[in-house]
Amino acid sequence: MGLTLKSNNSKVKQVFGPVWILVVFTILALSFLTLARFGLSVWQGERVFGSHAWLSIFIGGLIVDIATLSYIIMPALLLTLVMQSINWQNKVCGLIKIYLVAMSALLVFFEVITPTFINEYDLRPNRLFIEYLIYPKEISKMIFSGYKLDVVIVVITLVLSCKFASKVFSHQWQRKSSLTRLNQSILALVLVCLTILGARNSLGHRPLNPAMVSFSTDHLLNDLTLNSLYSVVFALKQLSNEQSSQDYYGKMPTNELLSIVRNNMQNTQAAFSDLTAPTKTFHAASNTGKPKNLVIILQESLGARYVGTLGGLPLTPNIDALYKQGWGFDNLYATGTRSVRGIEAVITGFTPTPSRAVVKLDKSQHNFFTIADFLAKKNYNTQFIYGGESHFDNMRSFFLGNGFKDIVDTNNFNKIDFNGSWGASDEDLYDQADLELTKLEKQNKPFFSLIFSSSNHSPYDFPDNKITLYDKQKQTRNNAAKYADYALGTFIEKAKKSSYWDNTVFIVIADHDSRVSGSNLVPVDHFRIPAVIFGKGIAHKRDDQLASQLDIPVTLLSLIGASGEHPMIGHDLSKPISDNKQRAMMQYDKNFAYMHGNKVVVLQPQKPATTYTYSNNKLVPCENDEQLIKKALAHANLGNLAYTNGWYH
């Protein structure tokens, strides 16, 4: 029987000829990707099997894998068929084997790194993976500091898989086909048609895309149907196109969109007279006295779950103390999951989109509204202080092009006692900030300074013997959050004794939560962040109204006495806001959430909008609220239209 099977296998090889190696590659790759998906599903078993999602994951996964492999083998198939027809197959044999080994290595690499990526982002590798590749120095430091074991596993797995693939493909190479020329041509035509059909995986107008195999309200379950190479390549394609939110969520007439957005703004009497900036209107500051300085302290990766006073872990005694002294927000939500999204919201008040944050987009590098540019025109000194290298995430270029006059990064620090993977420690950052603010105060003109921390970022490097560790192992999220709070406390003590304290409004606010994850389409609870405004003259208040990061820059301008026209649609939280206008907006990968009261509308690419009740940190499906869906769609599409049409200036 064994001889018969071997003989049959040999006959099949002879029939396929040089194409047989592509068949072997496809079988091996499909088996590997299915096994990898099975391993991830078992690892996430509580979410997969608890929701009975395994069948959808594996059927959808097979569809995606076939499409992925069809795209991979298509160039090799065409080359093989052409060379076979002119008897040059020996000359391209080595080239095809190298190509298939390289493709095997790519498939293996992306699947092996997937568990680490899921641990961090609760998603397969996607556009974040691509964006991080732009900064090899910072990322390599982070990887080799915090993920040494992962690197070893990846390298060993790649070496072994490449050796295995090379051996198999060399052994399985078949020089000639036993078929006649006519039958070879028929087989070639069939294989090309099957490959094209497999790549499109659809007879409809659109080829396969992730929306076609998504089935769950759990974002990770939808991602498990993909393979990681497909996920990254699809993200790269979308990144190059910067697909608009209208292509994702559906279109709305511009006049209707602007009417909805304007009606949801705070001032019902606002006049919109600038056709080139349809959301620009005059905003009167609540502070009518002498203009004050403004200092924004943007805290890296600090979700509400790490802040004791917000019901989180007891890691932030200094922020907790600020909540007892200043104006603390209990129900404030970030717009995204990355630092550039937090910068976008807090510095520009720009609504989130499925595209990259405006910090990184080409058309927003000059003449794009920021509060720095707004204040610079009011004779403010404007400054950005960062413990790392300010070119990261394109911050330096964006800031210098849009109102920041001075950039102070690690290259300009007077001293650095501790240098981690992301640059100077938060203590060093705040020491330098105190020096900079003292110098600015002596210039007898108001100033605005943005201070951006970095110690609370993987791999969580911070100095020894500064805090009592919360976790036994030093380099953990919890310990880094506790150290970041400790460093902040040292700065606040200095600031209270400084020359700039009396005339400055301060805010501590997170850019986003760390490791945003969960089984909802948008894990709303992981978007809740701390923010507290403090300084001389700021009355103590606990504010539980629903608010967004977008409201913060408008509020801060009002508190420092900076009246004027600008295009931001955020609310001034120092003034009354009717309940029907309170809202938060959240962008989670390709999904957009619009929250009003306890209702949340979620928009997904190429899918109908859905409405949920937000209860006990979960989204519970409910009857669609058509008016709320319209509000969500208008605000989801506003950013893309404003960017494309140059409205935000």
Side-chain angles (χ1 to χ4, degrees):
M1 184 176 176
L3 290 173
T4 303
L5 287 172
K6 189 172 182 180
S7 175
N8 289 338
N9 182 52
S10 179
K11 288 179 180 178
V12 173
K13 286 173 62 176
Q14 290 172 12
V15 167
F16 279 94
V19 177
W20 172 248
I21 193 174
L22 303 181
V23 176
V24 172
F25 168 79
T26 303
I27 293 171
L28 286 175
L30 271 178
S31 301
F32 168 72
L33 292 173
T34 302
L35 184 62
R37 187 173 288 107
F38 175 75
L40 292 172
S41 298
V42 170
W43 176 43
Q44 298 291 332
E46 185 177 345
R47 290 163 73 171
V48 173
F49 298 105
S51 57
H52 306 288
W54 61 273
L55 188 60
S56 298
I57 288 174
F58 283 95
I59 291 175
L62 182 62
I63 292 170
V64 173
D65 293 346
I66 289 172
T68 304
L69 298 177
S70 296
Y71 277 113
I72 288 175
I73 67 172
M74 194 178 296
L77 174 62
L78 294 175
L79 181 61
T80 302
L81 294 176
V82 170
M83 294 302 101
Q84 185 179 5
S85 67
I86 57 177
N87 293 319
W88 281 12
Q89 57 265 41
N90 286 340
K91 296 182 181 180
V92 297
C93 168
L95 180 62
I96 290 174
K97 284 191 285 188
I98 290 171
Y99 172 75
L100 293 180
V101 169
M103 290 299 103
S104 301
L106 271 180
L107 289 168
V108 170
F109 170 76
F110 280 109
E111 292 304 314
V112 172
I113 69 170
T114 296
T116 301
F117 207 87
I118 289 176
N119 264 335
E120 191 67 31
Y121 299 106
D122 208 43
L123 295 165
R124 280 187 182 271
N126 54 14
R127 67 185 296 160
L128 294 180
F129 177 87
I130 301 164
E131 291 181 5
Y132 275 133
L133 289 180
I134 302 170
Y135 307 102
K137 181 180 176 182
E138 289 85 351
I139 299 307
S140 60
K141 280 184 180 180
M142 179 182 77
I143 289 173
F144 288 107
S145 295
Y147 301 94
K148 293 185 181 71
L149 179 60
D150 304 65
V151 171
V152 170
I153 292 172
V154 168
V155 171
I156 292 174
T157 307
L158 277 178
V159 170
L160 293 177
S161 60
C162 286
K163 284 187 175 181
F164 174 76
S166 180
K167 186 174 182 180
V168 169
F169 296 147
S170 295
H171 180 70
Q172 293 296 326
W173 176 257
Q174 179 68 26
R175 184 172 177 272
K176 292 183 178 180
S177 170
S178 60
L179 296 177
T180 63
R181 284 279 183 178
L182 176 62
N183 287 338
Q184 283 184 43
S185 300
I186 294 172
L187 177 62
L189 181 62
V190 170
L191 289 175
V192 170
C193 290
L194 286 175
T195 305
I196 293 172
L197 183 61
R200 278 188 57 84
N201 231 289
S202 168
L203 296 174
H205 174 66
R206 293 176 181 270
L208 176 72
N209 64 61
M212 291 182 179
V213 292
S214 64
F215 63 94
S216 173
T217 58
D218 185 333
H219 209 76
L220 178 60
L221 298 187
N222 291 332
D223 255 29
L224 289 180
T225 62
L226 312 178
N227 61 68
S228 293
L229 177 59
Y230 177 89
S231 177
V232 169
V233 172
F234 185 82
L236 185 62
K237 177 177 178 290
Q238 297 301 98
L239 203 62
S240 63
N241 293 340
E242 286 298 350
Q243 189 167 8
S244 77
S245 53
Q246 296 177 87
D247 294 330
Y248 272 124
Y249 309 131
K251 295 184 178 180
M252 173 181 281
T254 302
N255 288 341
E256 182 183 4
L257 181 151
L258 290 174
S259 176
I260 290 172
V261 169
R262 288 166 172 173
N263 287 336
N264 207 56
M265 290 173 68
Q266 189 172 14
N267 183 4
T268 56
Q269 306 301 317
F272 302 92
S273 56
D274 189 344
L275 297 179
T276 69
T279 60
K280 182 188 286 187
T281 188
F282 183 81
H283 296 259
S286 57
N287 173 22
T288 58
K290 179 185 175 184
K292 291 195 171 188
N293 309 316
L294 174 61
V295 173
I296 297 177
I297 303 169
L298 197 61
Q299 287 285 87
E300 173 70 55
S301 304
L302 190 67
R305 56 189 167 139
Y306 301 106
V307 179
T309 197
L310 296 180
L313 297 175
L315 304 174
T316 57
N318 291 294
I319 290 179
D320 295 343
L322 288 177
Y323 263 84
K324 294 176 181 177
Q325 300 164 19
W327 179 6
F329 297 93
D330 293 352
N331 204 19
L332 179 78
Y333 290 83
T335 59
T337 60
R338 285 211 57 205
S339 297
V340 283
R341 190 66 79 189
I343 290 170
E344 173 187 74
V346 173
I347 301 304
T348 78
F350 195 74
T351 52
T353 71
S355 295
R356 290 174 292 174
V358 292
V359 177
K360 306 183 81 168
L361 294 179
D362 292 339
K363 290 168 66 174
S364 51
Q365 298 307 301
H366 298 280
N367 301 319
F368 194 84
F369 176 83
T370 68
I371 59 173
D373 187 55
F374 182 84
L375 292 173
K377 290 172 180 174
K378 293 183 177 294
N379 200 36
Y380 272 67
N381 279 322
T382 53
Q383 182 183 66
F384 172 55
I385 309 174
Y386 179 51
E389 295 184 351
S390 57
H391 68 82
F392 184 75
D393 265 347
N394 202 52
M395 292 185 295
R396 183 181 187 87
S397 175
F398 178 80
F399 287 152
L400 289 176
N402 292 299
F404 283 87
K405 298 176 181 177
D406 185 27
I407 304 288
V408 180
D409 66 8
T410 185
N411 298 313
N412 311 115
F413 279 27
N414 282 19
K415 67 175 183 64
I416 296 177
D417 292 331
F418 181 89
N419 221 340
S421 299
W422 289 95
S425 70
D426 281 4
E427 284 176 276
D428 293 319
L429 168 71
Y430 291 130
D431 285 346
Q432 187 67 35
D434 180 60
L435 291 174
E436 298 295 335
L437 300 184
T438 300
K439 285 190 288 186
L440 288 173
E441 177 65 20
K442 291 177 180 177
Q443 295 182 22
N444 295 318
K445 59 189 294 189
F447 62 81
F448 160 51
S449 185
L450 170 65
I451 305 170
F452 186 20
S453 75
S454 60
S455 290
N456 188 26
H457 193 299
S458 173
Y460 313 114
D461 297 324
F462 59 90
D464 292 328
N465 304 317
K466 297 292 184 177
I467 59 168
T468 301
L469 299 180
Y470 184 82
D471 298 322
K472 288 184 179 179
Q473 182 184 345
K474 182 193 172 190
Q475 288 180 246
T476 66
R477 280 189 180 89
N478 292 336
N479 287 336
K482 190 172 182 181
Y483 168 74
D485 180 77
Y486 163 79
L488 174 66
T490 63
F491 170 71
I492 293 169
E493 288 306 309
K494 284 184 181 179
K496 287 180 177 179
K497 300 171 184 175
S498 71
S499 58
Y500 54 82
W501 173 261
D502 286 352
N503 197 40
T504 303
V505 172
F506 298 83
I507 183 172
V508 174
I509 183 171
D511 57 355
H512 57 84
D513 191 5
S514 69
R515 192 174 179 259
V516 177
S517 61
S519 59
N520 294 314
L521 282 172
V522 177
V524 174
D525 55 313
H526 286 297
F527 281 77
R528 184 168 165 250
I529 57 170
V532 55
I533 299 171
F534 61 99
K536 187 173 181 180
I538 300 296
H540 169 58
K541 179 168 66 170
R542 290 293 290 269
D543 195 333
D544 64 355
Q545 65 182 324
L546 177 62
S548 167
Q549 266 181 329
L550 301 175
D551 302 324
I552 294 302
V554 181
T555 303
L556 293 173
L557 292 182
S558 182
L559 291 177
I560 65 173
S563 299
E565 287 190 332
H566 61 69
M568 294 189 290
I569 67 165
H571 301 322
D572 179 353
L573 300 173
S574 69
K575 299 177 180 179
I577 307 164
S578 60
D579 290 343
N580 68 333
K581 292 189 176 183
Q582 294 175 22
R583 79 286 173 269
M585 289 167 248
M586 293 155 262
Q587 189 75 44
Y588 183 56
D589 194 26
K590 296 176 285 292
N591 294 347
F592 178 90
Y594 187 90
M595 185 177 185
H596 170 67
N598 69 338
K599 279 191 175 181
V600 179
V601 167
V602 177
L603 305 178
Q604 302 176 73
Q606 288 92 45
K607 286 197 167 189
T610 47
T611 308
Y612 301 87
T613 300
Y614 183 57
S615 177
N616 296 321
N617 295 335
K618 291 185 178 180
L619 295 178
V620 181
C622 66
E623 184 179 353
N624 267 350
D625 185 328
E626 296 302 329
Q627 290 302 312
L628 197 60
I629 287 174
K630 281 190 173 184
K631 283 186 180 182
L633 184 59
H635 287 87
N637 284 343
L638 174 65
N640 179 256
L641 283 175
Y643 173 78
T644 303
N645 297 324
W647 289 349
Y648 215 73
H649 59 82

